[in-house]
Amino acid sequence: MSQVLDIEHCDLNIKSNNSSHHTERYGEECLIVRRGDPFIIILHLKPGSTEFKLGETSFTLIVETGPLPRKESGTKVSFSLSDSTVDTEWSASVNDPSGNTVSVSISSSPNSPIGVYSLTLDQEGQKTSLGQFTLLFNAWCPKDAVYMRSEMKRQEYVLAQHGQIYRGTHKRIKGTPWNFGQFEAGILDICLKILDENPKFVSDADKDCSARRNPIYVSRVLSAMINSNDDRGVLVGQWEEFSGGVHPGQWIGSGDILRQWAESGPVRYGQCWVFAAVACTVSRALGIPCRVVTNFGSAHDTDANLVIENLYDENGERISEDSIWNFHVWVDSWMTRPDLGSEYDGWQTSDPTPQETSDGVFCCGPASLRAIKEGELTKKYDSPFIFAEVNADVVDMVRLSNGQFVKFRGSTKSVGRFISTKAVGSDERHDITHQYKYPEGTAELHVHTHIDCTCKEKKKKQLSLKLDYDSYGTVITSDRLILVSAITIDKQTVDYHKAEKTIVLDEPDIKIKLLEEAVVNQPVTAELTLLNPLPEPLQDCSFTIEGVGLTSSKPITAKAGAVGPKQEAKATVEFSPSSVGTCVLLVNFDSNKLRNIKSLVNVVVKD
């Protein structure tokens, strides 16, 4: 019979453990560790009680997660002291006990379900609660499914709290700054709450919690839960009327959205870049390496035939459901694919924007980039849809009054261009088109040359179209894009031709001036100005600022009222930095006629 330790309290050694597990930015309130790597707790014994003696004292540790912990599900694990920790399963060892303190090193399995765990000490049936800890995926552990070899990439795809999301058109690509803020206070708890709100957890909590060992499963759950189409998910998608909610262009960070969801349910409103940005925040918070990806000329193939059919009637009016978005945004997450084979390991595409259902739910992915590039469309999940987004052929057809269809134009090049993500370690754009698709082949180029030559035989006539602000100002969206289409129709010879051009309107700059040097815990005033470029007044002008380490957990908004044509909107905003070092301050301008204008400035905060 071994000696029983009389424990006064347990020190979870939070500061040291969080630092060695790259989780110190979550704060020191809770123990947050990454699976597969050891962490150390210190047992403090009551004065005068029996000391720990190697070889004579033994105990069992029990870790449990989820509402129904079971050994069969891997959500409850018991393990005894051993000579050393093992790197493939839960284990514990004691390091040099001295007097009234016992230092215990605990290693988790690199295949454990992620989540909040309780830790209990069991001495021959006498159980002592030692506290709680949160276990995350571990990109630093070679045996973890999300392991990433490069430290620079881990810094970017797991730890970076600020990023760029690319928008516009393939000829005018513009980076939009975004505050992911995965380490902000309370955000990790909200990310875990998202998992607990998902319908699979509600219907079978034991099975769901057990499956959280698998980043493939977690990524698929997130792609469904970031939108609210089938569940009490995070965001409501909206593309036209935005009353009763926040215009998607006003958001500058994920934290505000996630906090609103935790307080009152689905948040109005989001579009593709907002869905993707929030998915990236949640993925990084849980430890899954993640990047936001923009696809210019993104196909939405409604009938899964890998062809975008632009159908028109005889008068040139569009009648089809297939579409091509000028840009679309999703996320790539890094993980192994044991379900497909090791050649499909690496980046996996997931799309949280609700477009089509998959297994009866509005979700998409994860699909291996390797499978997408190679056109292996039977590989899970949703490879055909994502393949079409970057590879679909485009056909323009006219439906004649007799029901016959006449093809008048086709293209294999207009879809899937300049696929972009933020570069590692800088705000530059990194083109990753080659990771999704092979270059267009010479056969296709030859066909296009032939078509272009046959056009040369036609007569050319130039018509000028003047676009006045009066004609487009009332309908322009926050993306500031105008699509101009021209269709020529010869009904006698059944001859149709079409040309298109997307016009990107310039946007004004926000000028940001700090009126004093930034010192930690001292107020700093930012002066913000924007010149109204429109020939009409702007109403309800406001500037909103947000920055990790600069504005605590809530964005700060300053109203600037009404601003006349060619006049400046001005406001001053005060904030108090909470951390030393270089921080990024994001600014958004909003008004009734001009919105989704963003800028940033690096702020060096001194001690």
Side-chain angles (χ1 to χ4, degrees):
M1 185 173 174
S2 66
Q3 297 170 322
V4 175
L5 298 177
D6 198 0
I7 297 169
E8 185 175 66
H9 75 277
C10 173
D11 178 3
L12 293 177
N13 203 19
I14 292 174
K15 188 172 184 178
S16 175
N17 284 324
N18 285 9
S19 177
S20 61
H21 282 253
H22 313 280
T23 60
E24 68 276 7
R25 294 184 208 175
Y26 290 109
E28 297 176 16
E29 299 294 312
C30 304
L31 175 58
I32 301 168
V33 292
R34 300 186 189 275
R35 62 185 195 173
D37 281 341
F39 60 95
I40 293 169
I41 63 170
I42 300 165
L43 304 178
H44 290 264
L45 308 181
K46 288 183 179 175
S49 64
T50 306
E51 293 185 3
F52 181 94
K53 292 181 181 176
L54 286 169
E56 295 182 23
T57 313
S58 70
F59 50 76
T60 298
L61 290 168
I62 304 168
V63 290
E64 299 174 291
T65 187
L68 302 163
R70 292 173 66 237
K71 289 183 179 179
E72 297 81 359
S73 304
T75 50
K76 178 179 181 178
V77 183
S78 302
F79 50 99
S80 301
L81 289 178
S82 53
D83 291 336
S84 62
T85 52
V86 184
D87 63 2
T88 57
E89 57 193 47
W90 285 91
S91 59
S93 65
V94 169
N95 309 321
D96 300 327
S98 60
N100 288 339
T101 61
V102 182
S103 177
V104 184
S105 178
I106 300 172
S107 259
S108 60
S109 162
N111 193 36
S112 305
I114 62 159
V116 177
Y117 280 77
S118 63
L119 177 62
T120 305
L121 184 80
D122 186 353
Q123 300 184 90
E124 298 176 349
Q126 182 181 325
K127 294 182 178 177
T128 308
S129 173
L130 301 180
Q132 283 191 333
F133 63 94
T134 300
L135 192 67
L136 305 178
F137 292 109
N138 191 355
W140 285 260
C141 175
K143 287 188 165 58
D144 195 302
V146 303
Y147 172 63
M148 241 182 177
R149 195 182 303 272
S150 162
E151 175 60 20
M152 277 191 70
K153 288 182 179 178
R154 294 189 296 242
Q155 291 287 330
E156 181 68 49
Y157 298 130
V158 181
L159 300 182
Q161 296 194 80
H162 165 262
Q164 290 280 334
I165 300 172
Y166 295 96
R167 300 168 59 195
T169 71
H170 73 278
K171 289 187 176 179
R172 289 279 299 274
I173 297 174
K174 181 171 176 57
T176 299
W178 190 269
N179 182 23
F180 296 116
Q182 66 268 33
F183 298 117
E184 289 178 12
I187 293 299
L188 177 57
D189 289 339
I190 295 171
C191 295
L192 293 169
K193 178 182 168 73
I194 291 172
L195 298 183
D196 287 348
E197 292 276 338
N198 103 78
K200 293 180 179 179
F201 175 84
V202 174
S203 63
D204 191 338
D206 174 58
K207 185 178 178 182
D208 177 80
C209 286
S210 180
R212 293 181 192 179
R213 69 183 68 245
N214 184 352
I216 303 167
Y217 177 84
V218 172
S219 294
R220 190 155 172 79
V221 165
L222 292 181
S223 84
M225 282 299 296
I226 300 302
N227 71 69
S228 59
N229 284 41
D230 311 282
D231 42 51
R232 197 179 162 276
V234 178
L235 278 159
V236 178
Q238 186 64 280
W239 281 263
E240 290 179 5
E241 171 57 45
F242 303 106
S243 60
V246 175
H247 187 287
Q250 282 184 248
W251 304 113
I252 50 178
S254 305
D256 206 23
I257 295 168
L258 289 168
R259 276 184 284 269
Q260 283 190 37
W261 174 79
E263 288 171 14
S264 53
V267 178
R268 301 170 188 271
Y269 293 104
Q271 290 181 8
C272 63
W273 74 91
V274 186
F275 287 112
V278 173
C280 184
T281 293
V282 178
S283 299
R284 290 183 183 181
L286 299 176
I288 301 173
C290 190
R291 66 186 184 186
V292 176
V293 174
T294 302
N295 177 35
F296 291 96
S298 192
H300 183 174
D301 181 18
T302 55
D303 53 8
N305 66 351
L306 305 182
V307 177
I308 300 300
E309 294 148 324
N310 294 324
L311 304 181
Y312 299 87
D313 64 18
E314 285 187 309
N315 298 315
E317 293 293 323
R318 190 178 175 121
I319 55 174
S320 60
E321 291 186 3
D322 281 355
S323 60
I324 299 176
W325 300 15
N326 51 297
F327 70 90
H328 183 50
V329 188
W330 58 66
V331 292
D332 286 345
S333 304
W334 182 270
M335 66 195 70
T336 60
R337 289 303 298 262
D339 58 329
L340 303 180
S342 59
E343 65 268 36
Y344 300 100
D345 293 351
W347 289 116
Q348 316 288 323
T349 294
S350 296
D351 190 348
T353 300
Q355 296 185 83
E356 301 292 332
T357 58
S358 172
D359 295 331
V361 176
F362 277 97
C363 67
C364 183
S368 163
L369 258 64
R370 169 75 185 269
I372 295 166
K373 183 170 182 176
E374 300 298 335
E376 298 187 27
L377 305 187
T378 60
K379 305 297 183 187
K380 297 187 292 187
Y381 291 88
D382 308 307
S383 296
F385 185 80
I386 299 165
F387 179 87
E389 286 187 302
V390 299
N391 276 302
D393 292 341
V394 181
V395 175
D396 292 335
M397 291 191 288
V398 173
R399 186 173 67 191
L400 304 179
S401 54
N402 61 8
Q404 180 187 352
F405 286 97
V406 176
K407 176 180 172 182
F408 67 95
R409 198 177 79 149
S411 170
T412 59
K413 287 185 181 178
S414 57
V415 167
R417 309 169 90 174
F418 295 88
I419 303 174
S420 304
T421 192
K422 177 185 172 300
V424 173
S426 82
D427 276 343
E428 298 300 310
R429 184 184 75 89
H430 178 43
D431 195 296
I432 54 172
T433 310
H434 63 283
Q435 295 180 19
Y436 277 86
K437 58 195 290 189
Y438 287 102
E440 301 292 346
T442 53
E444 287 87 349
L445 291 173
H446 176 72
V447 171
H448 282 290
T449 303
H450 176 70
I451 291 171
D452 288 344
C453 289
T454 309
C455 290
K456 286 182 180 175
E457 294 172 10
K458 305 287 182 185
K459 289 182 179 177
K460 285 187 177 179
K461 184 175 182 181
Q462 285 196 332
L463 300 171
S464 47
L465 175 69
K466 188 177 181 184
L467 293 175
D468 288 321
Y469 179 77
D470 290 346
S471 61
Y472 69 77
T474 56
V475 293
I476 194 77
T477 69
S478 63
D479 288 319
R480 289 175 285 282
L481 301 174
I482 300 173
L483 177 64
V484 180
S485 298
I487 296 178
T488 61
I489 303 171
D490 187 333
K491 291 188 177 180
Q492 290 183 325
T493 61
V494 195
D495 195 12
Y496 289 77
H497 290 279
K498 185 179 98 168
E500 283 186 338
K501 179 168 185 169
T502 300
I503 298 169
V504 183
L505 301 180
D506 286 334
E507 61 186 55
D509 294 323
I510 301 174
K511 293 178 182 174
I512 308 168
K513 182 181 179 183
L514 300 183
L515 300 185
E516 50 264 313
E517 187 177 64
V519 178
V520 70
N521 297 325
Q522 297 293 318
V524 182
T525 304
E527 186 179 78
L528 312 168
T529 55
L530 177 139
L531 180 67
N532 174 15
L534 303 183
E536 63 176 327
L538 299 178
Q539 306 293 333
D540 305 319
C541 298
S542 66
F543 293 91
T544 299
I545 67 167
E546 181 180 322
V548 174
L550 297 175
T551 58
S552 67
S553 60
K554 280 268 186 185
I556 302 170
T557 298
K559 290 182 164 50
V563 177
K566 311 299 180 184
Q567 299 296 307
E568 279 192 337
K570 280 190 178 182
T572 56
V573 187
E574 191 177 272
F575 61 96
S576 294
S578 57
S579 59
V580 176
T582 301
C583 302
V584 180
L585 184 71
L586 274 59
V587 182
N588 179 69
F589 175 81
D590 191 62
S591 68
N592 65 329
K593 298 283 185 184
L594 189 64
R595 56 193 350 153
N596 196 16
I597 308 289
K598 293 179 168 59
S599 188
L600 63 86
V601 66
N602 287 320
V603 179
V604 179
V605 182
K606 298 186 176 177
D607 200 348

